[in-house]
Structures are given as structure tokens and as C-alpha cells.
Amino acid sequence: MLTHPNRYFCGFCLATASFLTHAADSYVIDQRDERYQIAIEHISNASMALAAAKSELNKAQATYSFPGLDINRMTASLVPVEETLRVLLVPEQKRLKYQTAIPDGVFFLPTPVGD
């Protein structure tokens, strides 16, 4: 049985398109990408700023009761933002915690003992 040469070419094109679609997928995260690392740093800064803002709001409420200022409602509106940031940061914190440092191209020379 003879096969048409375009059959293999079409299969190759479909496989390449599938690979490129997967590589360009927005859900595939490359943690080595500099833009990803910068974005995680900004998200971490935002999380710390939100925690500081909640702390300052609680201190303000404890110091003086402002009429018409509902601190509880304001802090409750921050909860979804904090949860979303936590979902993004917890895996990155775990990755950094268990990351092992492997020297790249570093060679240690034996040191003479007893000279």
C-alpha cells in the first residue's frame, strides 16, 4: 500500500502546532523567567502592604472611633484579595524553601593540610 507524502507532513504539522500551543499556553508557568520573578516580588510586596494596612486600620480603630468609618467592612473586603495572593505565593514560598543550591561550574581545589 502506497502512502501519500503529504500524510506525514500533515502529521508533523499537527504535532508541531500542538507543541507550540502548549508552549504558548498562558497556564504554563516558567519560574525561571525574569518577568515571573519580578511579578512574584511585586505580589509579595502587595501582600505585605495589605497586612500592614490592616494592622494600621486596626490601630486607628483602637485609638479613635471615626463616625461613619466601618473598619470591619473595609477589612472584610480585603479578604478575597489576600486569599488570591496567598494562592499565588504559597507554592512559590514552598519552592524557595526546598530549593537546593547547586554550584554551576564551581570547582573546589584541595587545600594542603599540615604545611
Side-chain angles (χ1 to χ4, degrees), residues 50-85:
L50 277 175
K54 282 179 71 172
S55 173
E56 291 297 321
L57 282 172
N58 290 334
K59 288 177 187 177
Q61 184 181 22
T63 305
Y64 184 77
S65 179
F66 291 100
L69 184 63
D70 190 4
I71 301 280
N72 293 330
R73 192 184 83 224
M74 291 173 66
T75 55
S77 67
L78 295 177
V79 171
V81 177
E82 289 176 327
E83 289 175 355
T84 302
L85 293 178

Side-chain angles (χ1 to χ4, degrees), residues 2 14 25 35 64 67 80 83 106:
L2 295 175
L14 288 174
D25 190 7
R35 295 175 300 161
Y64 184 77
E83 289 175 355
V106 177

Side-chain angles (χ1 to χ4, degrees), residues 23-39:
D25 190 7
S26 63
Y27 291 103
V28 176
I29 296 174
D30 184 10
Q31 296 169 338
R32 298 168 296 174
D33 188 3
E34 184 178 342
R35 295 175 300 161
Y36 170 80
Q37 294 172 3
I38 291 170

Side-chain angles (χ1 to χ4, degrees), residues 40-54:
I40 285 293
E41 181 180 355
H42 287 300
I43 288 174
S44 177
N45 291 340
S47 178
M48 289 186 295
L50 277 175
K54 282 179 71 172

